[in-house]
Structures are given as structure tokens and as C-alpha cells.
Amino acid sequence: MSRLEFPPDFLWGAATAAYQIEGGARTGGKGESVWDRFSHTPGRIAGGDTGDVACDSYHRFPEDIDLLKSMNLSSYRFSIAWTRIQPEGKGPINRHGIDYYRSLMEALLEADIRPLPTLYHWDLPQALEDRGGWPERDTAWRFADYAAITLRALGDLASDWVIFNEPNIFTVLGYVLGIHAPGHHSVEEGLRATHTVNLAQGEAMRAMRAESSGLRIGTAFNMSPCEPAGDREEDEEASERWHRFVNLWFLEPALYGRYPNAFLKGVPEEMMGIQDGDSEIMLAPLDFIGINLYTRTLVEEDLNDEYGIGAKPVGPQDGRGGPLTDFGWEVWPVALRDMVLRITRDYNQPVIEITENGCAYGDRPDAGGQICDSRRIEFHRSFLKALHEAIEEGADVRSYHAWSLLDNFEWAEGYAQRFGLTWVDFRTGDRTLKDSGGWYRQVARENGFET
Ligand code: FCB
């Protein structure tokens, strides 16, 4: 047996998001978000579920903090609901919303846990969606105002902040594929949305720094190493283009003020609404790169794809992949090492935080009330092993956040997919630590584990 030891100040954490856990959809002056609207639209969410109550963390957050403490965790990544701070997405500030997040963050500090707030985890105020949403350029400046207000109100309680969660996912799934809120089907809207988000990232960062000094600011990018599905050279090139669109589309504008070359015929600037001077606006020198990673992506060339990238992701290839989680995502631990090392190499060894990694398994309480989720333990163990290899090879990784602290509202899947280290009984709201939570407690305490 050998021991894997993580760096001395490594942070062990768990992650959640406002709409997925808070509930209190109409409480404390909260305004309507696109997810409130979408989840109440018949046919959009499996089982007709909504986030109206979810884990009721709006009322039960002290229990959540007790769970974090019981696992010896030192970082909690959560998100702030824009509609609690500004119910209409602009104009008046809602004091109750600020008070709620102040109480949560004060309690975290009291427990010696780093608060790592995310400003935007997909819940755009519906009032802004009604005015055009993310495809509308003005939304970038509304977001920067919200960022400034939030930092003014809460900036004394956290030094480390995440601007966006998975910008590629909410723009593409929300405006192109129609799977997430607001459920539109338009490549043009989707690409315009990506550009507004890049403008917003730069504007928000400057607004945040103007409000509070000494901040460490990052974004949590969805990342997944792209590999050719077959041996053809065309697939190799296609997977590089897909990598630029999925992994770099919001990173390179932040670092360099320009888009990576993901498209066969160049970046569709006109369709995206790019204007003179936008390069400077997009610049957002990140203090750390947040990586959310769940699996790898296999890619084939497809010259007729709807974007003009000439590539498409394909499912796991028969017999050559890893096992699947209950959500159907391939378990491929080396993906985390490969992705972290590629970012380390290509961007001159930046500071990296693993802002999400986890798996959906439906293991339920047994007769004695215990949740024996051994596949989840194996998942985290194998991904952490791969992460440790990347650190050994020189990657500067400062934290790992398991997704998720709690079973919660998994977007279009409703409550059907359970990602938690903690079991939640959605009828009563009761929380029970799963075996994986017990295992993770020990890893955090020992800053590593035996292999
Ligand atoms: C990520 C999201 C997070 C959660 C996990 C399973 O894409 O950031 O909210 O739904 O997937």
C-alpha cells in the first residue's frame, strides 16, 4: 500500500448551487428567475419537478454547515441567486437576500470554512430574459452592476469569488439545444449569448475589483478532454476544434481578449455581434482557473454540424470505454489528469481549483438507514488519484470540490439523479451522510488516502 498525500494547504470542499438546493422560491422578496419559469413549464423537467422547495437550504443552511463540519471540509462552493439580490435583475436591492447570504457566510467563517461564492449559476432574472436575455448585449452591463452590488454588500466576508458557472453549458443548452432554461433553439442566439457572457466576465471582474481590494477571482469552466473517436486524422483535427469551443471559448477571451479558432471558416463575428473595442472589454485576468470535470468527450468530424465547427461529440464507443454512472456519463478518471495537465502546459502553469467533480448513483438507504454508495467512493478515489498524478507532474492545484454536498434538483432531470455525499429525503428534507461522505471525511482529515 502507498499513501497519496496532497499539498499542505490543499482545500477539501463540496459544491452546491442556489436553484438546486435553496427552495424558498417565493420567500424573502426573491424575484422570478428563468429556472423558476422553465421548471413550471409543463414537459420541461423529468417528473414535473421544480426547485420551489428543493433541499430547503434557504431555511436549513445551518444543517448544511454542520454536514460540512462533520466532514472536516475547509471550503464550501455555493452560488448567489441574482433574483434574491435584485429581484428584477436591475434597480432596487432586496435587503432580505443580502441578509440571507451574510448569515450563511458568517456561519461558514465561524466554522472555519472558506466561503467560495459563485455569482451566477444559471438563474438569470426572468425580467432580463424578457428583455432579450444573454443574447442581448446590454445584459453584460446589468450583470456587472449586480456583481458590484454584491461585492459591496458581501465583499468583506469572502476574498475568493467565482464569476460564472459553466458558461458554455448555460449558453448552449439554454439557447441552442433547448434542454435548459430558457429553452430556445437557435444557433445564432446561442453564439450571441456566448459573446455577451464574455463581455460580462470582463466587466464584472473590473466592477468587483473596484469594490473590494485583494480579491482572488476565477470562473468555473466546464472542461472535458476531447479525444478523437476513431483513428482518422480528420477526427483528431475535429476534436481540437471542439476542445477550443467547449474548453477555451470563455477562457481565451478572458486571458487574451480574443476567441480561439474553433470554426472551420473563422469566428462568425457578425453573427455573434462582435464590435470594435470588445477585445479590451473581454479581458479578465483570472487569478485562478476553476475546472468542473465529469468525464471525457469523444469527437468525430462532422462537416454538416449546425455551428460550422465541423465536429460533433459522440457517445462512449462500444467495449472501449469505462463503466457508466446512473446518468449515463462514462467514468474515465484519467480525464481529470489529462485536462489539468493540458491547461497547466498551455497557459503557463496557472493556479487551478477543481470546482466540481462527482457522479450520480441512486443508492438508497438500506433497512438500517445506511447508504452504501461504494461506487461513489470508488469514483472520487480514482479521480483524486488522477489529480494527484497531475500535481506530481507540476500542476498547481489548490482545491477539490465534490459535487455535491447534497442530493439536489438536477436541472432537466429533476430529483431523479442523485449526486450527493448526503442523502436527502425530499418529503421531509432530512439529510443523512452517505458512506461516501464518511470516506471523504477521512480523506479531508488526513489530507490524502491509502491506495
Ligand atoms: C454541472 C453543473 C452542476 C450540476 C452538475 C451535475 O454541469 O454545474 O450544477 O448539475 O453538472
Side-chain angles (χ1 to χ4, degrees):
M1 270 220 263
S2 68
R3 228 190 100 69
L4 292 188
E5 179 90 26
F6 281 75
D9 295 323
F10 196 79
L11 295 175
W12 294 96
T16 60
Y19 189 71
Q20 296 181 275
I21 66 159
E22 281 180 3
R26 301 277 174 275
T27 312
K30 182 185 168 301
E32 187 190 19
S33 80
V34 290
W35 270 97
D36 290 309
R37 177 70 63 90
F38 192 68
S39 67
H40 279 270
T41 308
R44 295 300 204 172
I45 313 293
D49 293 341
T50 74
D52 286 1
V53 178
C55 309
D56 199 21
S57 287
Y58 184 70
H59 299 106
R60 301 176 73 142
F61 74 85
E63 287 175 63
D64 299 345
I65 295 179
D66 285 345
L67 286 165
L68 294 162
K69 273 202 289 200
S70 79
M71 285 189 278
N72 306 305
L73 300 187
S74 42
S75 177
Y76 180 44
R77 177 172 175 242
F78 59 96
S79 84
I80 293 175
W82 187 344
T83 49
R84 286 199 193 283
I85 306 290
Q86 279 183 301
E88 300 291 313
K90 59 180 199 160
I93 301 169
N94 175 35
R95 198 66 239 172
H96 298 297
I98 287 172
D99 291 346
Y100 169 64
Y101 292 110
R102 284 200 74 83
S103 309
L104 169 67
M105 291 163 78
E106 280 166 1
L108 286 167
L109 291 173
E110 182 84 3
D112 230 1
I113 297 169
R114 172 184 71 157
L116 180 60
T118 299
L119 282 178
Y120 186 82
H121 202 124
W122 305 356
D123 40 3
L124 186 72
Q126 181 63 39
L128 292 186
E129 180 55 38
D130 294 342
R131 300 164 66 98
W134 285 111
E136 161 60 50
R137 201 176 155 90
D138 182 58
T139 302
W141 282 270
R142 302 288 67 74
F143 182 72
D145 285 351
Y146 154 65
I149 290 166
T150 306
L151 265 290
R152 206 171 303 146
L154 305 172
D156 58 323
L157 297 176
S159 55
D160 301 357
W161 290 77
V162 171
I163 302 178
F164 282 114
N165 180 69
E166 301 193 349
N168 188 279
I169 298 291
F170 73 80
T171 51
V172 170
L173 270 62
Y175 291 98
V176 182
L177 302 177
I179 301 168
H180 282 182
H184 296 186
H185 291 271
S186 158
V187 171
E188 178 167 348
E189 275 191 48
L191 291 177
R192 292 183 81 87
T194 67
H195 187 53
T196 309
V197 170
N198 273 314
L199 297 170
Q201 188 165 240
E203 284 294 308
M205 176 173 281
R206 285 181 290 277
M208 293 163 82
R209 294 209 199 278
E211 290 299 333
S212 204
S213 55
L215 298 178
R216 290 179 69 246
I217 305 177
T219 277
F221 302 97
N222 51 290
M223 289 201 175
S224 174
C226 297
E227 302 171 14
D231 306 326
R232 302 185 322 146
E233 204 175 303
E234 291 87 336
D235 291 341
E236 176 88 43
E237 286 164 12
S239 65
E240 254 329 275
R241 290 193 298 275
W242 196 249
H243 162 69
R244 293 179 196 139
F245 185 59
V246 171
N247 297 324
L248 311 181
W249 199 247
F250 299 86
L251 177 62
E252 293 208 346
L255 301 181
Y256 307 143
R258 60 166 164 69
Y259 285 95
N261 195 6
F263 288 77
L264 287 167
K265 295 189 185 147
V267 175
E269 297 198 3
E270 204 171 314
M271 188 199 269
M272 289 170 65
I274 298 178
Q275 299 180 6
D276 285 351
D278 283 359
S279 289
E280 285 70 42
I281 300 177
M282 296 195 293
L283 278 175
L286 301 163
D287 298 306
F288 63 91
I289 294 177
I291 296 184
N292 290 4
L293 185 142
Y294 289 87
T295 188
R296 66 171 168 171
T297 302
L298 295 169
V299 181
E300 263 174 16
E301 183 185 62
D302 174 7
L303 296 177
N304 298 315
D305 77 308
E306 51 191 336
Y307 302 96
I309 296 174
K312 68 160 183 241
V314 295
Q317 308 293 286
D318 27 285
R320 286 190 285 144
L324 305 183
T325 67
D326 287 354
F327 205 161
W329 296 357
E330 185 190 15
V331 180
W332 198 256
V334 81
L336 187 55
R337 187 196 70 194
D338 291 352
M339 195 73 241
V340 165
L341 285 177
R342 173 132 200 210
I343 295 297
T344 296
R345 252 196 331 268
D346 292 357
Y347 301 97
N348 196 21
Q349 227 196 356
V351 173
I352 292 173
E353 300 223 21
I354 305 303
T355 32
E356 285 181 26
N357 174 234
C359 50
Y361 289 116
D363 306 291
R364 313 179 63 80
D366 62 18
Q370 190 177 353
I371 300 105
C372 306
D373 57 339
S374 51
R375 291 172 299 177
R376 180 170 289 102
I377 296 177
E378 195 38 44
F379 182 97
H380 285 289
R381 185 203 295 281
S382 57
F383 276 76
L384 281 168
K385 213 167 153 231
L387 182 64
H388 191 268
E389 284 169 22
I391 295 172
E392 298 260 273
E393 289 183 45
D396 188 358
V397 184
R398 307 282 176 93
S399 72
Y400 177 85
H401 296 80
W403 182 272
S404 176
L405 173 63
L406 305 164
D407 291 338
N408 60 43
F409 177 82
E410 178 46 41
W411 310 114
E413 304 298 316
Y415 298 97
Q417 299 296 337
R418 290 177 176 267
F419 278 88
L421 299 168
T422 307
W423 172 270
V424 177
D425 178 334
F426 291 106
R427 282 164 313 157
T428 61
D430 290 349
R431 289 123 160 89
T432 312
L433 207 62
K434 300 180 188 177
D435 282 2
S436 56
W439 174 81
Y440 195 49
R441 159 197 290 156
Q442 201 173 329
V443 174
R445 188 174 57 225
E446 295 173 2
N447 198 32
F449 54 93
E450 307 285 339
T451 58

